[in-house]
Amino acid sequence: MDRIDTGRAHPARVYDYVLGGKDHYAVDVEAGDAMIESWPSLPVSMRQNRLFMERAARHLAREAGIRQFLDIGTGLPTSPNLHEVVQRERPDASVVYVDNDPIVLRHAEALLTSSPEGRTAYLDADMREPGTILGSAAVRELFDPGQPVALTVIAMLHFIRPPDDYALVRRLLDPLPPGSFLAISTATADFAPEEISRVVREYESRGIPMVPRSAAEVGAFFEGLELVGPGLTQVHRWRPEAAQEGVAPAEVAMYGAVARKP
């Protein structure tokens, strides 16, 4: 646990604070409060991103029949977690969570308990090392290499600067079998440019890079893939349910999409 830096804000802990969690430090509270002051809709946007993850995961398990999930940038456990969503639909599903923050590891080991039929593992690794992830014991032991995988990269890519971002996603996706899926959500300034610019400055003033992307820039992650309807859209507009009613476009600064690898 020596790697935990309580003197600097961490994106996962800020996210936890804004969503009303309890696994954060004073520095994360200060950062979260500053960001909310810059853009009061930040909690709405983050909640809608979380709900997008749930709907996308449910679709992949229920309708696409996926039983193997590789989740990059897990963040702090916030129920329902991805494995809880997918194992309700497919109790025998296997989920490998990937993150490189020690506080996430501590909570993941305590809280990410699989269904009896399924399997769940946590991998302490960096997204910038796709070979380490795909060659890990967790992936080898939990996944059938001949079966499709859902690669989920939720609210992570806006912390990766170009051009590394596109290459990293491809290096994770290319080895996966045909019929695999890619689910992404990432930040945009398309709908509240001034407000998001202020949030970006708050992140970067704390040494956290943040790169909002246009629709075209997010769409480039899905080149060569088959987008699942409704395609690339703000996260609250992707297969909306009751929890998305009344949410205004200017309150959501996240694009999301799900696509199939042919």
Side-chain angles (χ1 to χ4, degrees):
M1 305 307 296
D2 292 340
R3 288 163 45 210
I4 297 179
D5 184 353
T6 61
R8 293 179 57 187
H10 187 281
R13 299 195 308 255
V14 173
Y15 190 70
D16 175 77
Y17 168 67
V18 173
L19 288 179
K22 55 181 173 45
D23 299 311
H24 48 261
Y25 299 103
V27 67
D28 307 303
V29 173
E30 186 273 333
D33 285 344
M35 292 170 191
I36 293 170
E37 184 177 354
S38 297
W39 187 43
S41 294
L42 182 63
V44 175
S45 188
M46 286 187 171
R47 281 194 296 270
Q48 291 302 319
N49 175 73
R50 187 78 188 177
L51 292 169
F52 164 78
M53 180 280 290
E54 294 178 30
R55 297 195 306 279
R58 191 162 53 245
H59 165 81
L60 289 166
R62 178 189 297 170
E63 298 177 42
I66 300 297
R67 289 180 170 83
Q68 304 184 136
F69 290 78
L70 180 60
D71 185 53
I72 306 296
T74 303
L76 287 159
T78 303
S79 189
N81 299 287
L82 186 144
H83 77 280
E84 294 171 317
V85 175
V86 303
Q87 288 177 352
R88 285 173 191 156
E89 306 296 332
R90 305 278 173 180
D92 60 344
S94 296
V95 179
V96 175
Y97 289 107
V98 180
D99 209 301
N100 68 336
D101 180 52
I103 194 171
V104 173
L105 172 61
R106 185 183 71 191
H107 288 281
E109 289 175 334
L111 298 174
L112 300 183
T113 304
S114 179
S115 67
E117 304 92 337
R119 294 181 296 173
T120 302
Y122 178 88
L123 177 60
D124 185 9
D126 195 312
M127 181 184 178
R128 295 174 180 84
E129 299 176 350
T132 299
I133 294 170
L134 295 174
S136 67
V139 168
R140 292 197 311 270
E141 293 170 7
L142 267 66
F143 288 177
D144 180 339
Q147 294 300 311
V149 174
L151 172 63
T152 59
V153 190
I154 305 299
M156 262 294 295
L157 289 168
H158 45 255
F159 299 122
I160 307 290
R161 294 193 187 278
D164 295 342
D165 47 0
Y166 296 104
L168 287 172
V169 171
R170 283 294 158 180
R171 286 171 61 197
L172 287 164
L173 184 65
D174 284 351
L176 302 182
S180 294
F181 283 80
L182 173 65
I184 284 175
S185 70
T186 194
T188 182
D190 285 358
F191 303 93
E194 293 183 9
E195 294 86 345
I196 301 308
S197 293
R198 293 197 293 268
V199 173
V200 168
R201 287 196 295 271
E202 291 292 344
Y203 269 109
E204 295 197 333
S205 71
R206 293 165 175 81
I208 303 170
M210 186 177 181
V211 185
R213 293 179 174 85
S214 66
E217 289 168 332
V218 179
F221 287 108
F222 297 96
E223 286 183 4
L225 307 180
E226 301 165 351
L227 283 167
V228 172
L232 176 65
T233 185
Q234 282 177 284
V235 289
H236 70 295
R237 291 176 164 173
W238 197 90
R239 303 196 172 201
E241 298 173 349
Q244 283 68 60
E245 293 178 5
V247 178
E251 294 180 296
V252 178
M254 300 290 290
Y255 277 124
V258 176
R260 181 181 181 275
K261 180 181 177 179

